[in-house]
Amino acid sequence: MKKQIKVVGAVIVRNDEILCARRGFGGSLGGMWEFPGGKIEAGETPRQALEREIQEELLCTITVAEEVTSTTHEYDFGIVTLTTFYCELVEGEPQLTEHEATKWLKRGELDTLEWAPADIPAVELIMAA
């Protein structure tokens, strides 16, 4: 039986642009783009997990707003349920600690990147919004 992994992703919007993050080439899904975030730890709500992960990964503070969507995707390493939320940057400028690169793109430009499969339903919903 595959491992069930619950993760959250931040759709950080600033000046009508959305922060996209590229995964490091060493790990799984290397070089693919995603919404930054990470695993939900025991005892955390999805929103708390997202605030903590963005603080750790991008060294900045966000407020988490409404949910975009929740999707489940089966990878070779496990079954990932990704819940994405719209977020606002409150403090700090995103720093690269885990990602290869970040990019701010307009909604209509999101499909120019190669997204991790679990992120694609959220990308499509955001582009249609």
Side-chain angles (χ1 to χ4, degrees), residues 53-72:
E53 284 284 353
I54 296 304
Q55 189 71 59
E56 289 172 5
E57 268 184 31
L58 297 173
L59 310 179
C60 52
T61 309
I62 55 163
T63 48
V64 181
E66 73 273 16
E67 184 178 313
V68 179
T69 188
S70 188
T71 50
T72 301

Side-chain angles (χ1 to χ4, degrees), residues 7 29 69 71-73 75 80-82 84 115-123:
V7 297
L29 307 172
T69 188
T71 50
T72 301
H73 188 85
Y75 290 104
V80 173
T81 300
L82 168 68
T84 41
W115 289 87
D119 289 82
I120 290 172
V123 169

Side-chain angles (χ1 to χ4, degrees), residues 5-128:
I5 308 164
K6 290 202 178 322
V7 297
V8 282
V11 181
I12 301 172
V13 184
R14 182 175 75 183
N15 304 332
D16 220 26
E17 292 187 322
I18 292 164
L19 183 70
C20 312
R22 189 173 201 179
R23 297 178 67 94
F25 292 105
S28 53
L29 307 172
M32 295 187 107
W33 291 82
E34 65 179 0
F35 295 113
K39 293 187 184 72
I40 303 172
E41 290 178 2
E44 280 183 323
T45 67
R47 286 181 160 85
Q48 288 169 333
L50 199 49
E51 288 176 3
R52 175 188 53 74
E53 284 284 353
I54 296 304
Q55 189 71 59
E56 289 172 5
E57 268 184 31
L58 297 173
L59 310 179
C60 52
T61 309
I62 55 163
T63 48
V64 181
E66 73 273 16
E67 184 178 313
V68 179
T69 188
S70 188
T71 50
T72 301
H73 188 85
E74 188 169 337
Y75 290 104
D76 50 7
F77 56 83
I79 298 167
V80 173
T81 300
L82 168 68
T83 306
T84 41
F85 294 88
Y86 281 113
C87 299
E88 198 181 321
L89 205 50
V90 183
E91 202 181 345
E93 187 59 33
Q95 309 289 315
L96 292 179
T97 65
E98 288 183 24
H99 290 95
E100 193 68 36
T102 56
K103 216 179 241 199
W104 292 94
L105 291 181
K106 300 227 174 286
R107 279 175 200 266
E109 301 170 330
L110 292 178
D111 60 359
T112 60
L113 302 177
E114 188 189 355
W115 289 87
D119 289 82
I120 290 172
V123 169
E124 289 170 350
L125 280 168
I126 294 160
M127 288 186 71

